[in-house]
């Protein structure tokens, strides 16, 4: 498809297989794929990612997510009990 598409995939996303995510550009050459470190399926818990998505919706041709934004994502904590 020639339609611009945005794909944000969290590093720990159990619902979106990484190998399929990496193949998106084959079928969708205008897709922007961002692998979000230290995140699961819901990547919008970080303000800068919500802001990046909103900017992309207004101007899909612009740069999407700065590496500074991705560096601010905290490492998740998991309960062990």
């Amino acid at each position: 498809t020639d339609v611009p598409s945005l794909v944000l995939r969290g590093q720990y996303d159990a619902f979106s297989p990484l190998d399929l995510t990496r193949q998106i550009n084959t079928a969708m050459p205008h897709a922007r794929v961002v692998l979000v470190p230290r995140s699961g399926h819901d990547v919008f818990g970080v303000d800068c990612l919500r802001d990046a998505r909103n900017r992309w919706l207004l101007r899909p041709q612009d740069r999407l997510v700065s590496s500074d934004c991705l560096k601010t994502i905290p490492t998740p904590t998991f309960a062990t009990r």
Side-chain angles (χ1 to χ4, degrees), residues 12-27:
Y12 304 122
D13 188 342
F15 299 104
S16 305
L18 183 56
D19 59 332
L20 294 179
T21 304
R22 288 183 171 149
Q23 296 175 26
I24 287 173
N25 287 108
T26 303

Side-chain angles (χ1 to χ4, degrees), residues 9-80:
R9 191 233 184 235
Q11 177 181 1
Y12 304 122
D13 188 342
F15 299 104
S16 305
L18 183 56
D19 59 332
L20 294 179
T21 304
R22 288 183 171 149
Q23 296 175 26
I24 287 173
N25 287 108
T26 303
M28 302 170 67
H30 297 285
R32 297 258 183 132
V33 177
V34 177
L35 298 177
V36 181
R38 300 173 298 281
S39 294
H41 188 70
D42 180 11
V43 297
F44 296 118
V46 178
D47 290 340
C48 67
L49 288 174
R50 282 193 304 270
D51 294 344
R53 176 209 50 206
N54 294 341
R55 281 192 312 275
W56 182 85
L57 288 169
L58 295 172
R59 297 181 54 87
Q61 71 277 11
D62 288 353
R63 181 183 164 106
L64 184 58
V65 179
S66 75
S67 59
D68 291 339
C69 168
L70 297 177
K71 289 176 188 173
T72 67
I73 299 169
T75 300
T77 56
F78 298 96
T80 57

